Amino acid sequence: MATIQTYNKLFRTLEEKGAEKNLLLLYGEEDYLKKVTLLKLESFLNTKRIVFFGQDSSFEDIVSEVMNTGLFQSQKLVVIYEFERLKEREKILSLKTSGNTYLVCIISSSCDKKKQKNILQKAKKYKHIQILEFKPLDAMGFRTWVKSRFKKRNIHIDETTFALLLKYLPYNLTQAEKELEKLFLYMGDENLLRPEHLRVLSRTDEGSLSSLLIEHMGFEKKNIAHIYNFIESLRVNELLYELETHVTRIQDTHLGTFFSDRYRNKWRFTPYKKNKMLHTLKDAGVLEQRLLNIEYATKTSLHNEKITKALIILSLLP
């Protein structure tokens, strides 16, 4: 466990002075804090990160990017996600960069502990590497972090409801952030959190539209009545969130993007049935456009919940 003060101090230093070394190795359970680290380094360097993925990258490509600096690109932030999947890890660890070129290697929280230990042992041999571990926040730090999310949005919450919320939130910042975003979307413009709002959280909800759609994947026409009844029981904001999440998962799984990492163990969309709605990449794109149109309408002229739900149901059809 770590205190929030420890991380605040680290992030403040990274943003104001940069890192101690030009090569950083990030590991630990809290992927959310690794993301914040990258944001602070981007702020310090005033540049956007250049991204590689361990499984899809070669040592030559990474070195070429790291060393390719010039008059118009003197500051660079190169990031290797899923570093544990890179075949030539040791070559990267031995690499030395200079100036304002940072190379950040990120070990996923899902990495096998034995493999992680092996990488760390090798990294500790080099003096030019700054190794940062991201442990979970202690109880007080987690409470402070959650409260800060409500403060940013000017949402009020009493201590009784806050204590209830903490019972239902996963004790992991990445997962908790997802749940809080769902909660804020569900609340809409309301600025007071009430106990009844907490029903939208995954840990208190008996099911979700996403899980229902997965269960019936490839058989939407046959089960449209079941899906319809479920949709009728939810609020429009919650429906849009659930469907957008579902679409994102389909796209991420098909494209193999970094953000699908958190779903890989749970989401195995096989076999894919051709021309079935909600689980081919093409159909996900069609559905996404329909949802965007509906969401835009709800923010401009369309405020009838019954009509909106009917449109959402229609958007599910091929």
Side-chain angles (χ1 to χ4, degrees), residues 89-249:
R89 293 189 297 270
E90 196 152 3
K91 284 186 179 181
I92 291 293
L93 293 175
S94 64
L95 194 65
K96 291 184 180 181
T97 63
S98 58
N100 282 331
T101 296
Y102 285 161
L103 175 59
V104 183
C105 305
I106 301 179
I107 300 175
S108 309
S109 59
S110 58
C111 175
D112 176 75
K113 297 303 177 187
K114 188 175 180 180
K115 180 182 280 190
Q116 177 177 279
K117 185 179 178 181
N118 180 264
I119 296 171
L120 291 172
Q121 284 176 341
K122 290 178 180 177
K124 287 173 182 176
K125 296 177 183 177
Y126 298 101
K127 293 182 180 180
H128 66 277
I129 300 177
Q130 182 178 0
I131 301 173
L132 297 174
E133 180 182 6
F134 293 93
K135 300 176 183 177
L137 284 172
D138 59 21
M140 183 59 70
F142 186 73
R143 286 172 59 89
T144 304
W145 178 82
V146 174
K147 279 197 172 181
S148 72
R149 291 294 167 280
F150 286 87
K151 189 176 180 180
K152 278 185 178 180
R153 293 174 177 265
N154 294 315
I155 297 175
H156 303 287
I157 178 171
D158 62 60
E159 286 302 318
T160 304
T161 309
F162 184 66
L164 190 59
L165 170 67
L166 289 177
K167 287 183 179 180
Y168 298 136
L169 281 179
Y171 201 79
N172 174 281
L173 296 183
T174 302
Q175 295 173 16
E177 177 82 348
K178 279 179 60 185
E179 290 298 296
L180 288 173
E181 286 301 318
K182 185 196 299 185
L183 181 61
F184 295 143
L185 184 60
Y186 183 55
M187 290 178 67
D189 296 328
E190 297 183 56
N191 60 3
L192 175 65
L193 183 71
R194 300 191 305 274
E196 52 265 35
H197 288 136
L198 302 182
R199 68 178 293 275
V200 75
L201 298 178
S202 298
R203 294 204 172 182
T204 61
D205 202 353
E206 291 180 359
S208 68
L209 181 59
S210 289
S211 60
L212 183 69
L213 292 171
I214 291 300
E215 183 184 340
H216 297 313
M217 188 171 282
F219 306 97
E220 289 79 18
K221 287 183 180 179
K222 180 180 177 182
N223 295 282
I224 197 68
H226 189 185
I227 295 171
Y228 173 82
N229 291 332
F230 196 97
I231 285 175
E232 281 296 296
S233 69
L234 303 179
R235 290 171 55 168
V236 169
N237 279 346
E238 183 183 1
L239 282 173
L240 288 168
Y241 173 86
E242 289 270 8
L243 283 168
E244 286 167 0
T245 300
H246 185 68
V247 168
T248 301
R249 285 172 171 174

Side-chain angles (χ1 to χ4, degrees), residues 292-304:
L292 288 173
N293 291 337
I294 294 169
E295 190 171 26
Y296 176 75
T298 61
K299 291 176 179 176
T300 52
S301 57
L302 185 63
H303 299 290
N304 186 304

